C-alpha cells in the first residue's frame, strides 16, 4: 500500500413536488457516505492500471458505504475500518492481475505512470446553513402545477423543488486535508403527452443555482410552463421525424450537449490511454480539431458568467486538487486535456478535474465548459447562411 485517501460527504436536503394543484410529496433527509481509495504497488504501476481483454470490463472502483449521521466516534471508526479493509484487499487482488496482464500482453502506446505526484492541499471553510424551509413555495407549486390541468393533451406533469446543502471532508496519505461546503436550489417542470399511436413525448425546464434567490419568479416559471405546453402540443400533432444528413445549426441546449458528447468526453485525460476507448484526440495535440475561429476552455473556478450562476463551479476536485482552468482548444488547435491524477504522455499532472460518483474512482470530467468564437454573425444572418448552404448542396 503506497497511497490511501478518504472522502466523506454529508448531504442535507428538503424537497417538494406538486401535481395538478396538489402537493404530491414533501421530504427532508440527511445522508453521509464515505469513499476509500487504496493504491497498491507504485505510482508507475498500481492496481488502477488497465487490464486488457475480458477483465477490462471490471473497472477498478473505490470502496464506498454509508456513515452514521449523528457523528458517534465508535460507529464512524468501525465503518471506516471496514471500508479500509475492503479497499486494501480489493486493491491487492487487482494489482496482482494488473501486473500479470502487463507482463504478458503487448506494450502500451502510452507508457505513462498510473498516479501523478501532485502537491497536497490544505483548506477549511465554514459549513453552510441547513436547507431553507420550502414552506413559502408550497402555494407557488400548487398554482404552477394546477396550470398543467388546462391542457387536455398533457397526460402527466410534475413541478418539483429541491434544496440541498453539502459538507465534504477529504484526507489522504500525501497529507492533504480539506473541509468544503456547497449548496444548491433547483426547480423542475415536466409535462408529458402521448401521440395517437402511444408514443410518449415530454418537455421540461429546470433552473438551479447556489440559493433560492437564483430561481425564477412565479410569473416567469408560469410563462415557461405555457411555452412547454405549446411546444408539446405542436410535437404531438407533428409528423414523425425522418433521418437527415446535411448542414444544421445547433442552438442552446442542443449545442451544449453536442460539445459535451463529441468534444468534452473525448478530451478526458484517462481516456487517451485506455484500450477500450477510441482515443480520438490522443495524438492530435497541436493539430486543428475544430474551425479556426473556435476556442474552448474548462474552468471549475468560474462561478458566474453573463449574470448566471454556474453549476460546475468548485474550489477543489474529488482528489483534493485545486480547481484550475484548462485551455483545451485555441483557434481551432488542440492545446490540452481535462486531467485527474491519472497522467498521460501529453500531460503529467492534474489540472483539478478529478471527479467521482460515490463508489467510483475519480476520473477526469468537465466542470464549466466554455466555447468562444472569434467570428460571429447575428442569429438571423446565421439562418440565411444555412439556407444558402442548403441550396448550394
Amino acid at each position: 500500500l503506497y497511497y490511501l485517501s478518504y472522502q466523506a460527504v454529508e448531504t442535507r436536503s428538503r424537497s417538494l413536488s406538486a401535481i395538478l394543484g396538489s402537493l404530491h410529496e414533501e421530504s427532508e433527509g440527511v445522508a453521509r457516505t464515505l469513499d476509500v481509495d487504496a493504491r497498491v504497488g507504485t505510482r508507475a504501476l498500481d492496481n488502477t492500471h488497465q487490464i486488457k481483454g475480458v477483465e477490462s470490463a471490471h473497472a477498478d472502483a473505490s470502496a464506498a458505504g454509508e456513515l452514521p449521521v449523528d457523528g458517534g466516534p465508535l460507529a464512524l471508526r468501525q465503518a471506516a475500518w471496514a471500508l479500509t479493509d475492503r479497499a486494501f484487499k480489493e486493491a491487492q487482488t487487482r494489482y496482482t492481475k494488473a501486473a500479470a496482464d502487463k507482463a504478458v500482453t503487448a506494450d502500451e502506446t502510452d507508457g505513462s505512470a498510473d498516479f501523478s505526484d501532485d502537491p497536497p492541499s490544505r483548506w477549511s471553510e465554514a459549513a453552510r446553513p441547513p436547507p431553507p424551509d420550502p414552506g413559502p413555495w408550497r402555494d407557488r407549486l400548487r398554482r404552477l402545477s394546477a396550470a398543467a390541468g388546462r391542457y387536455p393533451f398533457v397526460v402527466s406533469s410534475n413541478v418539483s423543488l429541491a434544496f440541498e446543502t453539502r459538507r465534504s471532508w477529504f484526507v489522504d496519505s500525501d497529507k492533504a486535508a480539506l473541509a468544503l461546503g456547497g449548496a444548491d436550489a433547483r426547480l423542475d417542470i415536466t409535462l408529458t403527452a402521448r401521440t395517437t399511436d402511444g408514443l410518449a413525448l415530454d418537455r421540461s425546464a429546470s433552473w438551479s443555482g447556489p440559493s433560492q434567490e437564483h430561481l425564477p419568479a412565479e410569473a416567469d416559471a408560469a410563462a415557461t410552463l405555457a411555452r412547454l405546453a405549446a411546444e408539446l402540443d405542436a410535437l404531438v400533432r407533428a409528423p414523425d421525424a425522418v433521418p437527415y444528413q446535411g448542414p444544421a445549426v445547433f442552438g442552446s441546449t442542443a449545442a451544449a450537449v453536442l460539445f459535451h458528447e463529441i468534444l468534452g468526453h473525448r478530451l478526458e485525460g484517462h481516456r487517451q490511454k485506455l484500450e477500450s476507448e477510441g482515443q480520438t484526440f490522443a495524438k492530435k495535440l497541436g493539430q486543428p480539431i475544430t474551425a479556426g475561429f473556435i476556442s474552448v476552455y474548462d474552468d471549475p473556478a468560474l462561478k458566474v458568467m453573463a449574470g448566471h450562476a454556474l453549476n460546475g463551479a468548485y474550489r477543489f476536485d474529488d482528489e483534493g486538487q485545486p480547481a484550475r482552468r484548462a485551455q483545451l482548444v485555441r483557434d481551432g488547435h488542440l492545446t490540452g486535456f481535462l486531467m485527474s491524477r491519472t497522467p498521460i504522455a501529453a500531460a503529467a499532472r492534474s489540472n483539478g478535474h478529478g471527479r467521482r460518483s460515490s463508489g467510483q474512482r475519480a476520473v477526469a470530467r468537465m466542470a464549466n465548459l466554455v466555447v468562444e468564437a472569434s467570428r460571429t454573425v447575428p442569429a438571423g444572418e446565421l439562418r440565411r447562411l444555412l439556407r444558402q448552404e442548403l441550396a448550394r448542396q
Side-chain angles (χ1 to χ4, degrees):
L1 182 71
Y2 78 91
Y3 178 82
L4 191 62
S5 74
Y6 296 87
Q7 184 181 42
V9 179
E10 176 187 86
T11 304
R12 296 182 180 270
S13 59
R14 302 183 76 166
S15 63
L16 287 173
S17 68
I19 298 175
L20 298 176
S22 296
L23 289 181
H24 183 251
E25 185 178 359
E26 182 168 355
S27 64
E28 181 176 356
V30 57
R32 280 180 172 177
T33 59
L34 177 65
D35 280 79
V36 181
D37 274 339
R39 288 179 177 260
V40 167
T42 66
R43 293 183 189 273
L45 175 63
D46 66 23
N47 50 289
T48 70
H49 197 87
Q50 67 170 319
I51 299 176
K52 304 182 184 71
V54 176
E55 284 285 339
S56 65
H58 305 290
D60 184 43
S62 64
E66 295 182 351
L67 293 177
V69 297
D70 61 0
L74 183 61
L76 283 170
R77 184 176 292 125
Q78 191 277 334
W81 269 114
L83 287 173
T84 303
D85 182 64
R86 191 180 104 201
F88 177 49
K89 288 175 179 175
E90 289 176 354
Q92 284 182 308
T93 300
R94 198 177 190 282
Y95 173 71
T96 301
K97 293 179 180 179
D101 181 80
K102 183 175 176 59
V104 300
T105 56
D107 288 341
E108 294 153 350
T109 305
D110 187 328
S112 54
D114 287 331
F115 198 50
S116 59
D117 188 13
D118 293 287
S121 298
R122 301 179 72 86
W123 180 267
S124 180
E125 60 191 39
R128 303 296 176 93
D133 178 9
W137 286 82
R138 291 188 181 96
D139 287 340
R140 295 180 215 172
L141 261 62
R142 288 189 182 101
R143 289 190 292 267
L144 282 170
S145 64
R150 297 200 295 263
Y151 306 101
F153 52 86
V154 172
V155 297
S156 67
S157 61
N158 185 273
V159 180
S160 62
L161 172 76
F163 296 139
E164 181 180 287
T165 59
R166 294 179 308 282
R167 181 73 165 159
S168 67
W169 299 264
F170 178 90
V171 293
D172 71 5
S173 55
D174 286 346
K175 299 184 179 180
L178 305 170
L180 306 168
D184 292 304
R186 183 181 177 97
L187 178 68
D188 291 280
I189 297 175
T190 302
L191 305 178
T192 303
R194 287 190 181 276
T195 61
T196 54
D197 58 356
L199 177 66
L201 300 171
D202 64 75
R203 298 294 290 160
S204 62
S206 63
W207 301 262
S208 59
S211 68
Q212 58 182 317
E213 285 71 31
H214 291 82
L215 300 182
E218 183 178 343
D220 294 333
T224 298
L225 188 148
R227 175 180 61 79
L228 296 177
E231 292 174 357
L232 195 56
D233 185 29
L235 280 172
V236 168
R237 293 182 286 104
D240 290 343
V242 295
Y244 168 77
Q245 181 177 340
V249 171
F250 290 86
S252 188
T253 306
V257 173
L258 181 72
F259 274 93
H260 175 95
E261 297 296 343
I262 70 166
L263 189 67
H265 278 312
R266 284 161 178 77
L267 291 182
E268 293 165 354
H270 64 284
R271 295 182 186 268
Q272 310 310 312
K273 62 179 183 181
L274 291 180
E275 183 189 63
S276 57
E277 295 291 336
Q279 303 178 18
T280 310
F281 300 117
K283 298 180 180 179
K284 292 189 178 296
L285 204 60
Q287 297 182 27
I289 63 169
T290 71
F293 57 86
I294 293 290
S295 293
V296 183
Y297 67 89
D298 191 285
D299 191 356
L302 196 62
K303 295 182 178 180
V304 178
M305 176 171 276
H308 296 280
L310 302 183
N311 289 341
Y314 56 86
R315 192 184 294 272
F316 293 90
D317 71 6
D318 294 327
E319 294 181 306
Q321 293 298 303
R324 296 189 290 276
R325 171 169 164 158
Q327 187 71 44
L328 305 173
V329 178
R330 181 177 281 113
D331 300 329
H333 291 72
L334 179 64
T335 56
F337 298 92
L338 302 166
M339 295 300 300
S340 65
R341 293 188 69 178
T342 300
I344 58 175
R349 294 190 178 278
S350 168
N351 53 27
H353 284 79
R355 313 293 298 284
R356 81 158 84 247
S357 296
S358 185
Q360 303 297 321
R361 193 174 294 280
V363 293
R365 284 286 186 268
M366 288 168 283
N368 295 313
L369 191 76
V370 180
V371 181
E372 297 179 323
S374 60
R375 179 165 59 87
T376 64
V377 296
E381 173 65 7
L382 192 61
R383 294 181 68 85
R384 187 192 70 78
L385 291 171
L386 174 64
R387 289 193 296 269
Q388 179 179 305
E389 179 62 19
L390 287 165
R392 186 191 71 80
Q393 290 195 21

